[in-house]
Amino acid sequence: MVQLQISSETMDRMKKIIGTNTVHDGDFMVNEMIDKFEKKITELS
């Protein structure tokens, strides 16, 4: 399994984008970001 290292600044920015204050794990946050990107791409297509 690949592991990412994310700075606390990046983590704070990602939390703001996905609209949460708590994160259970990095996978959750990355998947939420991917969902946001996919939705945006679909809207723009």
Side-chain angles (χ1 to χ4, degrees), residues 6 8-9 11 13 19-20 25 27 30-31 34-35 40:
I6 301 173
S8 59
E9 179 184 342
M11 189 78 89
R13 292 175 66 202
T20 186
D25 58 43
D27 270 353
V30 170
N31 283 314
I34 290 169
D35 290 346
K40 194 60 151 178

Side-chain angles (χ1 to χ4, degrees), residues 11-23:
M11 189 78 89
D12 290 342
R13 292 175 66 202
M14 290 173 69
K15 284 193 281 189
K16 188 182 286 187
I17 290 168
I18 65 174
T20 186
N21 289 325
T22 58
V23 175

Side-chain angles (χ1 to χ4, degrees), residues 20-45:
T20 186
N21 289 325
T22 58
V23 175
H24 302 290
D25 58 43
D27 270 353
F28 169 80
M29 183 173 283
V30 170
N31 283 314
E32 289 293 310
M33 292 294 291
I34 290 169
D35 290 346
K36 296 272 187 197
F37 290 145
E38 286 178 335
K39 182 179 178 191
K40 194 60 151 178
I41 290 167
T42 301
E43 289 171 357
L44 295 174
S45 297

